[in-house]
Amino acid sequence: MLMATHADIETTYTFIDVPLRVNFGECFDFECAYYGDDPTLSVWDAQRNKHRATLAWLGFRPGERVLDVGCGWGPMVRAVRDAGGHGVGITLSTRQVAACQRLGLSDVHLMDWRDLEPERLGTFDGVVSHGAFEHFCSVDEWRSGRQLDVYRAFFRRCGAVLRPGRRLHLQTMCWGPNRVPFEDISFDGPPDGAPYLVALMAKFYPNAWLPDGPDQVTAAAEAEGFRRIDLLDGREDWIRTLHDWKPYRRKRSVRKVLNALRWLPRYLASPDFRRMVECGDRFANLVLLEREVLHHHRYLFERP
Ligand SMILES: C[S@@+](CC[C@H](N)C(=O)[O-])C[C@H]1O[C@@H](n2cnc3c(N)ncnc32)[C@H](O)[C@@H]1O
């Protein structure tokens, strides 16, 4: 297995497409918001704050083109458009492409970043990637020592479409100081234990292996000629985002019930699928961030 495959990504994002759109609206961020030390901000304001801050970090000016790698349901592409620019998104989820088309975000494509080249989508004044990097390296790639190569390939592809002197903003989780050794990841222990919760996340995001941390991500970027000009710790913000989402996740709706009925045969037939559901029910991501098994950062890189 070379990477989190298109089918893996489709499974995850098709499963959550309807419930998340019901919970959070049609054009939502499925990633860490940016509260900027403001205790009064709602999660929605903090997401808008992140869009504004990201464009400022990129040095964006109206009329410019910005690429979002792993654009999800389109919030950053829309923010670029609303700020007077042209946003282009790529994703491996057909549901997300359809959601973006419904919002009038027509320059969103079903495309792997591995196929990025200037001849296909042109060049850009900025590149954004929020919450997608976590998918890029597979367990097999990590085990065979190719993780850095995968990340280098990502920065090389981005560098090829980014104009000189311009910036790339990246948000990603990584392993934290209390990471669970690979051999210990299992469903054998207690369900509230870190090994069990990491095993649940591996079912939710199949074939994905996280980066070690900022040193590795930065080394990959620098090896491809990027210069890191900022690094922010995003763990507290990600924890707050996940807490703030909780009440919305409980929203009741007929669409959610009908969607659950559609997935019922798979739920009954597939133990892996039941684990995906359990992952959400146990708030595995949140608990693991709180215990520092996982961590999160925001990076700003510049292409000389
Ligand atoms: C957690 S979602 C984040 C979505 C969005 N950036 C946000 O902040 O809401 C991860 C995204 O990464 C995309 N993705 C994962 N691997 C990819 C790849 N190899 N090429 C392009 N997109 C990818 C998925 O399709 C999905 O859109």
Side-chain angles (χ1 to χ4, degrees):
M1 193 114 22
L2 288 177
M3 57 179 175
T5 63
H6 187 166
D8 294 328
I9 307 265
E10 282 285 23
T11 303
T12 302
Y13 292 104
T14 300
F15 167 53
I16 59 181
D17 177 57
V18 171
L20 291 194
R21 283 191 291 114
V22 170
N23 293 347
F24 300 148
E26 292 297 315
C27 186
F28 64 96
D29 295 81
F30 193 46
E31 227 276 327
C32 171
Y34 182 54
Y35 294 87
D37 293 331
D38 184 340
T40 65
L41 276 194
S42 72
V43 65
W44 318 114
D45 287 339
Q47 296 289 13
R48 281 188 283 273
N49 196 33
K50 175 180 69 183
H51 304 152
R52 275 193 299 273
T54 301
L55 292 179
W57 286 321
L58 291 180
F60 167 85
R61 292 177 295 259
E64 293 190 333
R65 301 183 86 231
V66 175
L67 172 69
D68 188 353
V69 179
C71 64
W73 289 264
M76 199 63 224
V77 176
R78 185 173 68 174
V80 173
R81 182 189 70 186
D82 293 350
H86 184 74
V88 177
I90 62 170
T91 167
L92 288 182
S93 160
T94 44
R95 288 294 186 102
Q96 292 175 344
V97 173
C100 291
Q101 302 283 345
R102 285 196 298 273
L103 292 162
L105 305 171
S106 52
D107 220 345
V108 168
H109 308 269
L110 191 69
M111 188 197 263
D112 196 314
W113 60 260
R114 291 165 181 82
D115 298 324
L116 266 179
E117 49 192 9
E119 294 72 24
R120 291 192 72 171
L121 296 180
T123 57
F124 295 90
D125 305 291
V127 176
V128 177
S129 188
H130 292 166
F133 201 85
E134 291 90 332
H135 289 288
F136 293 170
C137 180
S138 72
V139 173
D140 284 355
E141 282 166 332
W142 167 70
R143 293 183 87 174
S144 61
R146 285 177 288 148
Q147 188 171 30
L148 192 68
D149 293 341
V150 171
Y151 298 153
R152 281 190 64 170
F154 168 73
F155 286 108
R156 192 157 55 244
R157 289 280 172 181
C158 290
V161 297
L162 184 62
R163 297 191 179 126
R166 303 311 302 261
R167 294 174 173 179
L168 184 164
H169 189 253
L170 176 73
Q171 289 195 176
T172 179
M173 287 198 293
C174 62
W175 292 112
N178 301 326
R179 72 188 281 175
V180 176
F182 179 73
E183 314 71 60
D184 295 353
I185 298 171
S186 131
F187 291 114
D188 290 342
D192 59 348
Y196 188 102
L197 294 171
V198 174
L200 282 182
M201 286 203 65
K203 294 295 180 194
F204 198 88
Y205 296 110
N207 287 318
W209 189 258
L210 291 176
D212 289 339
D215 287 351
Q216 183 187 45
V217 175
T218 304
E222 287 178 349
E224 297 302 327
F226 281 92
R227 190 166 61 94
R228 193 181 82 193
I229 53 178
D230 209 355
L231 173 69
L232 296 178
D233 190 317
R235 177 174 160 269
E236 292 294 332
D237 270 355
W238 202 188
I239 289 173
R240 185 166 160 192
T241 305
L242 289 159
H243 271 297
D244 285 356
W245 277 345
K246 274 185 177 174
Y248 298 93
R249 291 181 45 164
R250 288 192 277 270
K251 207 162 160 181
R252 291 172 194 276
S253 97
V254 175
R255 270 170 80 203
K256 272 163 79 170
V257 174
L258 292 175
N259 185 61
L261 288 174
R262 244 194 71 219
W263 288 94
L264 187 61
R266 182 145 181 194
Y267 183 85
L268 296 174
S270 163
D272 280 358
F273 187 72
R274 290 198 289 278
R275 296 292 192 191
M276 277 181 78
V277 176
E278 187 184 351
C279 183
D281 291 346
R282 288 192 185 279
F283 295 97
N285 201 349
L286 172 59
V287 177
L288 293 169
L289 279 160
E290 285 176 334
R291 294 189 196 163
E292 296 198 62
V293 175
L294 305 179
H295 211 105
H296 182 277
H297 295 90
R298 307 176 205 271
Y299 304 76
L300 187 60
F301 294 108
E302 190 169 275
R303 192 193 150 190

